[in-house]
Amino acid sequence: MKIIIIGLGNFGRSLALNLTDNGHEVFGIDHKMEKVDLLKDHIANVVCMDANNEAAYEVLPIQQADLGIVAIGENEGSSIVTTAILKKYKNLRIVSRSLSKIHDTILEAMGINDVIHPEQDAAFRLTKQISFNYALDYFRVDSKYSIAEVFSPHSFSGKSVKSLKLTQKYSVSLITVIRDGNKPLSSKGTSTKKVIGLVTGDTILQKGDILTLFGSNKSIMNFVKDKK
């Protein structure tokens, strides 16, 4: 995928490097030369230009791009103008970083469906990891629901999923189980983790399993606290 990232601060730079590592062709843009220099040897192309200057976009392969990401994090006005310019390219999917609730409202009025809040999302994940120190990872579905990876309690070992009555007792659903790979006990080295696939009521949980749960934030919190 050909991706244009505008704004190469900490977030935009990390995004550019990670997307490049995942095989995407990334074009980075920033108006500060020092930020451009940091990436010039690491991504497909990087340009120093004023993203609010519509004429400057003629040097970019924007007609061939699949995705435009506005990652500007210092100037709300500049971010809005940049997003407005990108909106003129009908072929381009746009993801825009929001810096405030007003910014959210403006982006919504502009018809931008993909809005990101990097600082809020990072804070949310850290809060969940601190609050639910029994959990391994969280993915927020929306403001009320999450998907969480948690260690299976010792009391669950050897029991079938249907006997645990997770939905009735805890209001959570078990999506899948992550389990150590089948490796002889005498073998050396680190065991590998694998997803066992679809879970049925007859699936038997084992010691060391990681449960992938879906539910409300409150339900997951109650499950984690109850099963510490």
Side-chain angles (χ1 to χ4, degrees), residues 71-223:
I72 297 170
E74 300 172 353
N75 187 320
E76 194 169 291
S78 178
S79 175
I80 292 168
V81 172
T82 298
T83 303
I85 293 172
L86 292 182
K87 278 284 291 181
K88 295 185 177 183
Y89 298 90
K90 304 300 183 182
N91 63 300
L92 195 67
R93 177 190 167 197
I94 302 171
V95 175
S96 191
R97 178 182 186 177
S98 175
L99 305 177
S100 68
K101 290 187 178 297
I102 293 176
H103 198 170
D104 281 345
T105 301
I106 294 171
L107 291 174
E108 182 180 350
M110 293 170 68
I112 304 299
N113 297 318
D114 297 311
V115 178
I116 52 176
H117 309 85
E119 293 84 0
Q120 291 180 29
D121 292 341
F124 175 86
R125 291 175 67 84
L126 181 58
T127 299
K128 290 296 181 286
Q129 288 172 3
I130 292 171
S131 300
F132 308 154
N133 56 10
Y134 191 67
L136 297 172
D137 200 5
Y138 264 81
F139 171 76
R140 182 172 65 175
V141 177
D142 60 20
S143 61
K144 294 183 179 180
Y145 293 91
S146 296
I147 295 172
E149 291 181 357
V150 304
F151 286 116
S152 180
H154 294 299
S155 61
F156 284 11
S157 298
K159 295 183 178 179
S160 67
V161 170
K162 64 184 175 185
S163 71
L164 297 172
K165 299 181 179 179
L166 295 174
T167 302
Q168 296 94 319
K169 290 183 178 180
Y170 307 103
S171 298
V172 296
S173 298
L174 179 60
I175 300 173
T176 191
V177 175
I178 303 171
R179 178 170 292 167
D180 283 341
N182 295 323
K183 179 173 285 193
L185 294 177
S186 60
S187 66
K188 296 181 179 180
T190 305
S191 62
T192 57
K193 299 287 186 181
K194 66 176 183 179
V195 177
I196 70 169
L198 293 175
V199 175
T200 70
D202 294 325
T203 299
I204 304 298
L205 298 182
Q206 299 178 8
K207 180 180 178 181
D209 281 350
I210 295 171
L211 311 180
T212 303
L213 301 174
F214 169 79
S216 69
N217 296 329
K218 183 178 179 180
S219 296
I220 292 174
M221 178 185 290
N222 288 338
F223 176 86

